[in-house]
């Protein structure tokens, strides 16, 4: 597989390095398995010969036109955490050449991939319209509002949809690169993951901080504060809406628009977060913790924790 890795001004250094390191490790280790797959030919491409990264390092590149001959174009993230600045950059003249390259590459039928804030560049170029994608969990509300034509699932770590692969938050670049290797050789991907000590992370759910997502909208933020005060009680969306001074329909629609989920499911996320915290920091029994987060039976909480975090209560307690 010929892989073109795009390096552009302000690229996230760790994201770029993770992609290059994983692919280099795959090439070094592919001979350790029977019937070794072909090597991954990696070329860093850019719009200038020398490109400055977000941390100020200079990377030498080949012309961006090389991407037209590649089997895959990888676009690492932009080193920008502020949502307003991120949207201004990906939609502005500074990234016009990146957007054009991504759109033209995909139009030729060449797969493209990105992670974290780089998924905004893909979305802005239009290649994610009508497709499923993931992005950094904490940027999902902004992404969902900006790109309604994209079906976003921020709980996933890696998603592939019709030739476009996206991955989650910053170090999701490792998961993205391993997914690329796995497309050619699952055995090599597993070997690389073991050597680099990378656990399988199919979901971002266990990393999500619900309160951070809620701050994207004042109604959702108020609902989050109300729900935390009533976490040990049966939650009534009608009562919550009345307390916030909005209609039930407004609350339902606002939570859905901002978070892509229902108020009830969001409360479950808050309960999972609090229960996980209590398991890690106290000696309370699971029965006691269940009652503190609004569940009468410990088994209900046990099942929910396994579903949302991918871990058993014992594993969570061990952390």
């Amino acid at each position: 597989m010929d892989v073109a890795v795009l390096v552009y001004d302000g690229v996230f250094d760790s994201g770029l390095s993770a992609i290059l390191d994983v692919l280099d490790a795959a090439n070094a280790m592919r001979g350790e398995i029977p019937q070794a797959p072909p090597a991954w030919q990696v070329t860093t491409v850019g719009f200038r010969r020398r490109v400055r990264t977000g941390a100020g390092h200079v990377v030498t590149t080949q012309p961006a036109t090389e991407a037209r001959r590649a089997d895959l174009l990888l676009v690492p993230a932009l080193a920008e955490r502020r949502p307003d600045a991120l949207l201004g950059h990906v939609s502005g003249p500074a990234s016009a050449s990146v957007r054009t390259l991504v759109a033209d590459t995909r139009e030729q039928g060449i797969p493209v991939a990105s992670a974290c804030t780089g998924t905004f560049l893909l979305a802005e170029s239009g290649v994610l319209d009508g497709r499923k994608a993931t992005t950094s969990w904490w940027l999902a509300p902004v992404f969902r509002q900006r790109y309604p034509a994209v079906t976003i699932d921020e709980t996933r770590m890696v998603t592939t949809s019709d030739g476009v692969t996206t991955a989650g938050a910053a170090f999701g670049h490792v998961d993205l690169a391993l997914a690329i290797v796995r497309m050619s050789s699952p055995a090599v991907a597993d070997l690389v993951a073991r050597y680099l000590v990378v656990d399988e992370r199919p979901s971002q759910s266990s990393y999500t901080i619900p309160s951070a997502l809620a701050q994207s909208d004042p109604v959702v933020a108020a609902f989050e504060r109300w729900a935390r005060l009533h976490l040990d009680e049966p939650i009534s969306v009608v009562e919550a809406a009345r307390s916030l001074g909005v209609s039930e329909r407004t609350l339902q629609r606002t939570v859905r628009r901002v978070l892509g989920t229902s108020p009830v499911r969001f409360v479950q996320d808050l309960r999972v977060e609090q229960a996980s915290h209590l398991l890690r920091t106290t000696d309370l029994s699971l029965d006691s913790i269940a009652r503190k987060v609004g569940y009468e039976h410990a088994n209900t909480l046990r099942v929910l924790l396994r579903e949302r975090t991918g871990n058993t209560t014992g594993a969570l307690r061990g952390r």
Side-chain angles (χ1 to χ4, degrees):
M1 176 183 285
D2 290 329
V3 180
V5 180
L6 180 63
V7 186
Y8 56 93
D9 286 328
V11 71
F12 180 53
D13 292 64
S14 294
L16 172 62
S17 299
I19 289 170
L20 296 177
D21 285 343
V22 169
L23 293 177
D24 181 67
N27 279 329
M29 298 176 191
R30 66 187 184 88
E32 296 184 26
I33 65 169
Q35 299 178 332
W40 289 267
Q41 303 296 333
V42 182
T43 305
T44 52
V45 302
F47 302 103
R48 294 195 312 278
R49 179 65 174 166
R50 292 162 62 84
V51 180
R52 191 169 295 277
T53 69
H57 297 103
V58 175
V59 178
T60 302
T61 68
Q62 299 297 316
T65 52
E66 292 293 318
R68 298 172 183 168
R69 291 188 283 272
D71 299 310
L72 172 70
L73 172 64
L74 271 172
V75 183
L78 174 70
E80 178 57 73
R81 296 185 72 254
R82 300 165 298 169
D84 289 346
L86 172 62
L87 291 179
H89 186 96
V90 300
S91 63
S95 67
S97 53
V98 178
R99 298 194 304 269
T100 299
L101 177 65
V102 169
D104 290 348
T105 300
R106 189 69 200 109
E107 190 174 345
Q108 295 175 41
I110 299 171
V112 297
S114 189
C116 192
T117 55
T119 59
F120 283 73
L121 286 167
L122 267 56
E124 200 69 35
S125 72
V127 304
L128 284 176
D129 287 354
R131 294 179 171 87
K132 296 179 181 179
T134 189
T135 190
S136 299
W137 64 263
W138 54 275
L139 286 170
V142 180
F143 191 104
R144 188 173 283 110
Q145 183 173 356
R146 175 78 176 182
Y147 310 110
V150 184
T151 301
I152 187 74
D153 180 1
E154 68 273 25
T155 66
R156 300 290 299 274
M157 189 64 79
V158 180
T159 296
T160 298
S161 180
D162 193 22
V164 183
T165 301
T166 51
F171 290 101
H173 287 84
V174 173
D175 303 86
L176 177 64
L178 284 172
I180 299 305
V181 173
R182 190 168 285 109
M183 290 176 184
S184 298
S185 175
V188 172
D190 291 344
L191 190 62
V192 171
R194 292 176 66 181
Y195 270 95
L196 298 184
V197 195
V198 179
D199 292 330
E200 185 178 5
R201 303 181 297 176
S203 173
Q204 295 188 86
S205 296
S206 60
Y207 303 92
T208 301
I209 304 173
S211 57
L213 296 177
Q215 301 313 306
S216 302
D217 182 272
V219 172
V220 180
F223 175 60
E224 185 247 345
R225 291 192 295 270
W226 182 91
R228 286 191 185 278
L229 290 174
H230 300 82
L231 212 57
D232 60 343
E233 308 168 12
I235 295 293
S236 167
V237 177
V238 174
E239 183 180 342
R242 185 183 303 116
S243 297
L244 301 180
V246 299
S247 69
E248 180 187 2
R249 183 179 182 187
T250 295
L251 180 56
Q252 293 273 11
R253 292 177 64 179
T254 304
V255 172
R256 175 69 63 180
R257 173 177 54 81
V258 174
L259 303 179
T261 191
S262 68
V264 171
R265 189 172 176 86
F266 179 60
V267 171
Q268 289 178 339
D269 291 339
L270 296 176
R271 286 172 165 162
V272 166
E273 179 191 55
Q274 180 65 5
S276 298
H277 172 72
L278 292 173
L279 281 167
R280 291 194 300 267
T281 60
T282 74
D283 293 326
L284 291 173
S285 69
L286 189 60
D287 286 305
S288 296
I289 293 174
R291 288 192 293 271
K292 284 181 176 294
V293 297
Y295 294 112
E296 183 178 351
H297 302 293
N299 194 55
T300 303
L301 177 60
R302 183 182 289 108
V303 171
L304 186 63
L305 285 168
R306 185 61 182 263
E307 175 189 311
R308 298 295 175 84
T309 70
N311 289 305
T312 64
T313 54
L316 291 168
R317 177 82 80 183
R319 291 183 178 181

